Amino acid sequence: MATTVNIIVGSHVWVEDRDTAWVDGEVTKVNGEKIEVQTTSGKKVVANLSNVYPKDTEAPPAGVDDMTKLSYLHEPGVLQNLATRYELNEIYTYTGNILIAVNPFRRLPHLYDTHMMEQYKGATFGELSPHVFAVADAAYRAMINEGKSNSILVSGESGAGKTETTKMLMRYLAYMGGRAATEGRTVEQQVLESNPVLEAFGNAKTVRNNNSSRFGKFVELQFDKTGRISGAAVRTYLLERSRVCQLSDPERNYHCFYLLCAAPPEDIKRYKLGNPKSFHYLNQTNCYELDGVSDAEEYLNTRKAMDIVGISPEEQDSIFRVVAAILHLGNINFTKGKEVDSSMPKDDKSRFHLEMAAELLMCNVQGLENALCKRVMVTREETIIKSLDPDAATTNRDALAKTIYSRMFDWIVEKINNSIGQDPDSKNLIGVLDIYGFESFKANSFEQFCINFTNEKLQQHFNQHVFKMEQEEYTKEEINWSYIEFVDNQDVLDLIEKKPGGIIALLDEACMFPKSTHETFTQKLYQTFNNHKRFSKPKLSRTDFTIVHYAGDVTYQADLFLDKNKDYVVAEHQDLLNASKCPFVAGLFPPLPEESSKSSKFSSIGTRFKQQLQSLMETLSSTEPHYIRCVKPNNILKPAIFENQNVIQQLRCGGVLEAIRISCAGYPTRRTFDEFLDRFGLLAPEVLEGNYDEMTACEKLLEKKGLKGFQIGKTKVFLRAGQMAELDARRAEVISNAAKVIQRQIRTYIARKEFVALRKAATHLQTLWRGKLARKLYEEIKREAAAIKIQKNVRGYHARKTYTKLRLSAIVVQAALRAMAARNEFRFRKQTKAAIIIQAQWRGHRSYSYYKSMKRAGLSVQCAWRSKVARKELRKLKMAARETGALKEAKDKLEKKVEELTWRLQLEKRLRTDLEEAKAQDIAKLQLSLQAMQVQLDEANATLVKEREAARKAIEDAPPVIKEMPVVVVDTEKVDLLTNENEELKTLLKSQEKRADEAERKCAEVQELSEERLKKMEEAESKIDQLQESFQRLEEKLSNLESENQVLRQQALVMSPTKGLSGRSKTAVIQDLQSPVPALKDAAEAEQRPQKALNDRQQENQDALIKCIMQDIGFSGGRPVAASIIYKSLFHWRSFEAERTNVFDRIIQIIGSAIETQENNDVLAYWLSNTSTLLLLLQRTLKASGAAGMTPQRRRSSSATLFGRMAQGFRTSPSGTGLSFSNGGMIGGLDALRQIEAKYPALLFKQQLTAYVEKIYGMIRDNLKKEISPLLGLCIQAPRTSRASLVRGSARSHANAAAQQALIGHWQSIVKSLSNFLKTLRANYVPPFLVRKVYTQIFSFINVQLFNSLLLRRECCSFSNGEYVKAGLAELEHWCYEATEEYVGTAWDELKHIRQAVGFLVIHQKPKKSLDEITHDLCPVLSIQQLYRISTMYWDDKYGTHSVAPDVIASMRVLMTEDSNNALSNSFLLDDDSSIPFSVDDISKSMNQIDLSEIEPPPLIRQNSAFNFLLPRAE
């Protein structure tokens, strides 16, 4: 990749350095093929011209996010770019479609939160900053759009972050393809939660990593047709089995061993464990614990994870029994036995561990000892038992431990797969391969051989993919690429896996011969591959061999190759563990089929691994691959340290440099036409001045410079290796010549400037001297004039003093004379005024006395007349009171009657209860008697049977002589006696049955009687209910009469004496009060008849109201008509005070059905206006019911009747003239409304209405967001125009003008959308408060979208882009000014983040700004994380200026490190707030009073006489 083209004095180059790999410097001398370079570190280096690389001096200070954009795609350029970005905490970098991830060795939670995943969801690959989510999204989108499976290959050495990267990939794929779990955990959750289990049993601490995966893992996520995860599987490759028995300091064994030793005491006691230092398999190193990790907590976490993935507690116990048994196996030591070449356990300690291992494995102790110390050899003739020496027994022990652990690990993987479940119907999958990277240590064994074989295979796949991408790029650009060479490593793969004759085949062959050793194996390799260019033999070793891999030479030690390659299980081990009483252990060693055991006695790990790898490669070949290369920046695992040598080695091992080598074989440098002309247009100005298109201009420029082999694509220029350096050298020469011309002109300018300054100084000196002489003459003239002026002023002063003294004396004399005359005049006037006052007081006293006497006489007459009138009224009121007393007596009688009926009902209930209890007791007694008689009958029958049997036996035993004598008589008497007793018993039974029948009959009679009484009781209850209803109606009537009486009293008190009640009204009132009592008794019947008609009329009115509001009835005077008539109608109908009504539900249903169409903003605005206005009216009118001391019936009756409303009118108004309940008198304004004690339905209606206001508001806001969101994506990045195009003819200027107009057009489209929405909201009279809230949240959304896009896309953080966005923001500011503050409010302030960020992009002289100025003056709102990202991503595409100073960047990094523990402060992205930003109280406080008095009802309502109350007062 090195170049020898145009390296001249002054060129900036990269030279090799032993410490830092590469160091940059400037060429100071060129001597043929040797050059002298002054490095930036201060050294002078002499290097060969073919070993240096040109340096791009115009590379962005923050690096590039895609290394294909580098001007020089070579090793030092790649390294410098990665180091620069890592220093800025940019850990991800693209190389084409390959992602390079550098481990930061610290948590960066802001890079992986849900908000970040949302940003990369659906984004085009390469559009946003490099990220692991972008690779995952590209794979997912390719699978969905193309219907093809994809795979993501994650590689890197131990500690590079492969496992964490895989977790992030799984998280994102679960985010995209996951779904809510209906039963238990979802597939993606189980896959993610299986990681702790696999890490516990498959990860260990190595020199380079505390949690290194010692196996390869390929996770298949299966997706259904809808793109949802439907199944998964985990495939594992080559677990490092030798680690179980062999360790090197300071590494550790697998985590599970240490976790079990730190288990709770009961588990340790059960497994007879102790300190890890006491076990041979763990104490081979001095490392037992990990920093910051608690093994006890990890043990519990692992048990929980095993529960989650479906491993039962019994299976968990079996697994840890096996783990403990392996530890005990390691502590079994052997010594020589009694026989020759035999062995036995060394001591009691070894025998204890042997017994514990047998107990844990549930096998025979003697059988385990024999399996370890002896070997059975089966021949054709006989079976031979061979004893093993101590060394062989130890090897046999380790082989058993490795086999058990390997099979247990395979069982766990299979169990996890079974628990997760696979989808057999899935056609698409995304595989994530987390596999070990290339390894090269001082001692490399069989594991490193297999690992490097895997990486060679993957590297071939990688090379083919990179070459394919190159081909696609060339094909896309339509250039000729047929002569490009492709670097392939097939020869290395043939060396390893080819059959026959490959290393693996020769290894299998050596393993099958018992007498083969590692020496014979290596000699075979030497003979076979003696002339192979990829194979070599070290000079000083007989058992080592070296393979030339793509990443470098690796020397392997073949000492243990044969042992590690053998995979068969010793027959004794197989038989012993298959017979274990533990089902888990027996399941790990199932019996081998006879056919397989006869056909093949040997199994090879190498062959099996090759088959697995071949299967993996077939899977990868059937998928679309995506590559992630993880890099570990240092070996001490600390953040902010970048070791060049270490990273270069990993880039070589990871194949990144190999990909660069493939690119360099073709066209490593590719630039778009405008970028190429921007950079090299100055080499041929005449080409730029001609009216050529960009493609023709590029071609003519290259031809003029004499370059050959380049290609012109459709949009890019493709240059061969070295051509970029040649063009840069010529460009540097042109710039150098131009600099010389500038210097010459500047020096001329400086000399002339000095001459002009000297001449100007002489002239200035002369001017100063002449001025001094003039000032001296002026001072003398001024002094003479001052003396004359002083003399004049002194003389004037003396004259004025004399005159003033004379004048004061005259004034004193005049004042004394005038004072004497004034005092005489005052004395005369005082005497005259006193006489007048005395006269006035006497006349007033006389008149007042006469008035008081007349007033007393008039009051006496008036009091007498008023007393007479009041006594007449009192007599009338007493008569009315007596009638009221009669009603109260009737009421008292009814109450007594109700109490008597209630008492009788309770008495009946008690009698019925007593009767049922007596009945139950009688039945129980009869049943007991019946049972006793039955027992007696059974005893009598049994006695009778016994007597008969005794008689029969006696007859049979008696002699024949006396058979006919008294024996017969005696037996007959006994029979008769028993017969009589039986008859008596039957008689007694019949009598008992009769008594039982009689008792049942009585019980039935009692039951019938109780049922009759129950019916009577129910009838009595119904009568009581009727009486209670009548009583309530009477109460209502009585309350009406009381209200009427109160009204008449108040009228009598407020009427003047001259205007008494007319005779007709008096008579009517007296007749009503004296109406007969029987009329009250018929009141209930009279009310029942019109009740139904009243309900029907009310239902008709509600239907009319609903029918009216279903239509768009518009607005009246800026007030919503629908809200007005709904409120007035509900108020008039007293619906707010009703206990039960369905009118509220019907109104809510109408609103809900009207807003179902979420896209119609006009309808949404109409209902937002109505619902918010109605909610305001309810908020200011309704209050929760809190009245106490009055029954609900009494409260309802007092407000529902005419006289009740009249009484309330009297209580609220001073006179009876305001009794009219018309619209004008009731609702003149909100202040005139009284507070209503609302019932539950009204309060529920208010809550539902509040919810609909919030819902409609959110729908309107979200619709506007959806409309402007696509436009924001077009507004954040300006159309690209090159500086060269600015001077290239009129066609180019028109194109730039069109692009400028297109950008402004996007912003104008946003302004148009905002204006249309505002027009819709204003047309529907939406309250300005809600409009302000809508636009405040919309502007906040614009701020979030633009600001996040700015931080995630480097091409947006440019100077010219800042100018474009600033111009667009000016359009928004102008719109806010025109929309007025009434409707926009402080929405403009919501753009503070993007305004300050854009302002920072377009300011000049950024390097001169201090951190304090930036954080306090320029960008006080932005956080340090946000400023740091903008500063590091900034690039000036217009003037070529730099970002802020390096010390400012360093200070920002220090502040970020100090605050790194705060996840919230680490997040540099903004979140969009979609909450509802107001409450009901806010609406009530912000909206003005609404006058509903003059609102015209719609025609449908006006024609209905039931709604006359809605008509204005004039009608």
Side-chain angles (χ1 to χ4, degrees), residues 270-477:
R270 186 193 318 167
Y271 303 132
K272 298 295 190 296
L273 298 176
N275 194 298
K277 296 180 181 180
S278 61
F279 294 101
H280 171 69
Y281 285 163
L282 305 182
N283 61 14
Q284 299 175 34
T285 74
N286 293 321
C287 181
Y288 300 98
E289 296 179 354
L290 299 178
D291 295 337
V293 178
S294 171
D295 288 332
E297 294 181 4
E298 290 299 319
Y299 173 78
L300 299 178
N301 294 335
T302 302
R303 295 294 290 252
K304 292 178 182 178
M306 295 171 79
D307 289 332
I308 291 171
V309 298
I311 300 177
S312 65
E314 294 78 12
E315 292 171 335
Q316 294 178 32
D317 183 64
S318 300
I319 290 172
F320 285 107
R321 287 172 66 90
V322 171
V323 173
I326 293 174
L327 289 178
H328 286 291
L329 275 177
N331 280 13
I332 302 175
N333 297 319
F334 299 96
T335 186
K336 292 184 179 180
K338 297 179 181 179
E339 300 177 1
V340 180
D341 292 335
S342 64
S343 60
M344 58 182 293
K346 184 177 181 180
D347 48 23
D348 293 341
K349 182 179 178 181
S350 297
R351 188 162 294 280
F352 166 77
H353 288 291
L354 176 68
E355 294 173 354
M356 280 307 305
E359 179 183 343
L360 292 172
L361 295 174
M362 294 188 181
C363 61
N364 183 266
V365 178
Q366 188 60 43
L368 178 59
E369 182 179 352
N370 293 337
L372 295 177
C373 298
K374 297 179 181 180
R375 180 69 53 83
V376 177
M377 302 178 67
V378 180
T379 64
R380 294 180 180 179
E381 301 174 353
E382 60 179 341
T383 300
I384 302 172
I385 299 177
K386 177 185 177 182
S387 298
L388 301 178
D389 60 17
D391 293 338
T394 302
T395 304
N396 196 20
R397 175 202 67 188
D398 293 343
L400 176 61
K402 290 187 289 186
T403 302
I404 294 174
Y405 192 84
S406 175
R407 296 204 177 189
M408 180 187 68
F409 183 78
D410 293 340
W411 183 92
I412 292 174
V413 174
E414 183 180 0
K415 183 68 176 180
I416 291 173
N417 287 334
N418 294 336
S419 174
I420 295 173
Q422 302 186 42
D423 183 8
D425 300 328
S426 175
K427 300 284 180 71
N428 298 325
L429 63 86
I430 294 180
V432 181
L433 178 64
D434 174 11
I435 201 161
Y436 20 63
F438 191 89
E439 292 185 355
S440 177
F441 304 129
K442 292 181 179 179
N444 300 288
S445 187
F446 182 68
E447 288 80 13
Q448 281 69 43
F449 176 77
C450 292
I451 288 172
N452 294 339
F453 170 47
T454 303
N455 282 273
E456 284 285 356
K457 203 79 172 176
L458 293 174
Q459 183 63 30
Q460 184 186 47
H461 186 265
F462 176 69
N463 291 346
Q464 293 171 352
H465 174 72
V466 171
F467 187 61
K468 179 183 175 184
M469 292 298 103
E470 289 287 315
Q471 289 178 349
E472 290 179 357
E473 178 74 13
Y474 299 157
T475 304
K476 178 182 175 183
E477 293 290 331

Side-chain angles (χ1 to χ4, degrees), residues 684-846:
E686 64 278 7
V687 175
L688 298 182
E689 292 173 0
N691 193 11
Y692 302 112
D693 58 26
E694 291 180 333
M695 180 187 296
T696 306
C698 293
E699 188 172 4
K700 285 186 174 297
L701 191 151
L702 289 168
E703 289 175 350
K704 183 177 179 181
K705 293 304 166 184
L707 296 183
K708 304 295 182 182
F710 64 86
Q711 293 279 353
I712 302 295
K714 296 173 64 176
T715 61
K716 296 178 182 178
V717 177
F718 292 82
L719 301 178
R720 302 287 295 191
Q723 291 182 341
M724 188 73 173
E726 184 175 350
L727 288 174
D728 269 340
R730 297 185 183 183
R731 178 173 176 270
E733 185 177 353
V734 171
I735 292 175
S736 176
N737 294 334
K740 292 175 183 177
V741 173
I742 294 172
Q743 289 173 357
R744 184 167 63 246
Q745 295 294 330
I746 287 295
R747 287 168 182 159
T748 301
Y749 168 76
I750 292 173
R752 176 167 176 78
K753 185 177 180 182
E754 289 178 352
F755 165 73
V756 171
L758 184 61
R759 186 178 64 182
K760 186 177 180 180
T763 305
H764 185 61
L765 184 61
Q766 294 172 358
T767 303
L768 291 176
W769 180 249
R770 290 169 183 157
K772 183 177 181 181
L773 293 177
R775 282 192 295 275
K776 187 175 182 181
L777 178 61
Y778 171 75
E779 286 292 333
E780 292 178 356
I781 296 173
K782 185 178 179 182
R783 191 184 301 276
E784 184 178 352
I788 295 171
K789 192 171 186 178
I790 290 172
Q791 292 174 3
K792 180 182 67 176
N793 287 332
V794 169
R795 289 167 186 159
Y797 168 73
H798 286 299
R800 281 194 300 276
K801 187 175 181 181
T802 303
Y803 166 75
T804 301
K805 187 175 182 182
L806 183 61
R807 179 172 174 269
L808 287 175
S809 300
I811 289 173
V812 169
V813 174
Q814 290 175 359
L817 293 175
R818 289 171 183 164
M820 183 176 66
R823 279 193 293 273
N824 292 334
E825 178 67 20
F826 172 73
R827 193 179 295 110
F828 173 75
R829 290 185 179 182
K830 186 177 180 181
Q831 292 174 355
T832 304
K833 185 176 181 180
I836 292 171
I837 289 173
I838 293 171
Q839 292 173 1
Q841 290 292 333
W842 165 247
R843 290 168 186 161
H845 172 71
R846 185 177 58 189

Side-chain angles (χ1 to χ4, degrees), residues 167 170 185-203 215 217 219 221 232-234 302 304-306 308-311 409 412-413 415-417 419-420:
K167 290 179 182 178
M170 300 290 291
R185 286 172 167 78
T186 57
V187 172
E188 60 271 14
Q189 285 176 323
Q190 293 186 56
V191 172
L192 291 174
E193 289 164 347
S194 67
N195 282 330
V197 180
L198 294 177
E199 288 180 2
F201 291 90
N203 287 25
F215 64 100
K217 180 173 65 175
V219 181
L221 291 180
V234 180
T302 302
K304 292 178 182 178
M306 295 171 79
I308 291 171
V309 298
I311 300 177
F409 183 78
I412 292 174
V413 174
K415 183 68 176 180
I416 291 173
N417 287 334
S419 174
I420 295 173

Side-chain angles (χ1 to χ4, degrees), residues 1269-1290:
S1269 183
L1271 298 173
L1272 291 175
L1274 301 173
C1275 290
I1276 185 58
Q1277 187 174 3
R1280 295 293 302 275
T1281 56
S1282 62
R1283 287 176 291 174
S1285 63
L1286 298 178
V1287 296
R1288 274 188 277 137
S1290 59

Side-chain angles (χ1 to χ4, degrees), residues 64-66 69 85 90 92-94 96 99 111 115-135 137 172 1272-1273 1276-1277 1344-1357 1429 1433 1468-1469:
V64 295
D65 54 8
D66 188 346
K69 298 178 182 178
R85 289 179 60 80
E90 297 290 342
Y92 293 116
T93 308
Y94 291 135
L99 179 68
L111 287 182
H115 187 62
M116 187 66 75
M117 288 192 279
E118 186 65 29
Q119 294 294 322
Y120 281 89
K121 182 180 179 180
T124 305
F125 186 82
E127 178 183 355
L128 303 180
S129 298
H131 202 287
V132 66
F133 291 161
V135 177
D137 188 78
Y172 187 84
L1272 291 175
I1276 185 58
Q1277 187 174 3
V1344 170
Q1345 294 299 313
L1346 293 179
F1347 187 75
N1348 288 349
S1349 298
L1350 190 73
L1351 296 189
L1352 289 174
R1353 299 162 64 175
R1354 184 178 181 274
E1355 62 271 16
C1356 296
C1357 284
R1429 190 164 180 86
M1433 294 178 66
F1468 53 79
L1469 298 181

Side-chain angles (χ1 to χ4, degrees), residues 1126-1141:
I1126 290 173
Y1127 177 77
K1128 289 181 180 179
S1129 300
L1130 297 178
F1131 191 95
H1132 180 76
W1133 296 337
R1134 299 287 175 178
S1135 299
F1136 298 130
E1137 303 169 70
E1139 296 282 354
R1140 295 178 61 187
T1141 179

